[in-house]
Amino acid sequence: MPRIREFNARYRLKDLSTYILGTMRAKGITQSTMAETLGMSQGNFSTKIKNLSFSTGEMMVIFETLGTPPQKAGELITGRRD
């Protein structure tokens, strides 16, 4: 089903969440490990990933931990695929 422009923000958040959780799974990183890296509880991390309410600093740590290239991080955040 094609994506509708008015829902771009929703799609971007869903894509970001899917990327983070999928990459964590592929690299064998648990939510507990990622939460510890960020200095929070696993429950707090779980809530933040569900609502995508991470701060900019937390996102930078997540991308660094996952080994996300800067271009890919930019695509995920802006939703643009140049």
Side-chain angles (χ1 to χ4, degrees):
M1 192 151 121
R3 290 186 167 197
I4 300 170
R5 186 177 312 189
E6 68 183 72
F7 298 130
N8 278 348
R10 286 187 205 169
Y11 298 140
R12 189 171 58 245
L13 293 174
K14 176 71 173 152
D15 291 346
L16 180 58
S17 176
T18 301
Y19 172 80
I20 292 170
L21 292 173
T23 305
M24 284 174 56
R25 189 169 295 119
K27 293 187 178 244
I29 300 171
T30 64
Q31 285 191 9
S32 296
T33 303
M34 186 63 81
E36 186 177 314
T37 302
L38 293 167
M40 62 179 70
S41 69
Q42 183 275 328
N44 192 11
F45 179 82
S46 179
T47 300
K48 284 188 170 216
I49 195 73
K50 183 187 289 185
N51 299 323
L52 276 166
S53 58
F54 294 108
S55 69
T56 304
E58 290 168 340
M59 288 303 302
M60 290 174 62
V61 171
I62 290 169
F63 286 142
E64 183 178 323
T65 303
L66 297 177
T68 306
Q71 182 176 351
K72 179 67 175 175
E75 288 175 4
L76 289 166
I77 292 171
T78 64
R80 294 186 184 139
R81 289 169 175 53
D82 296 331

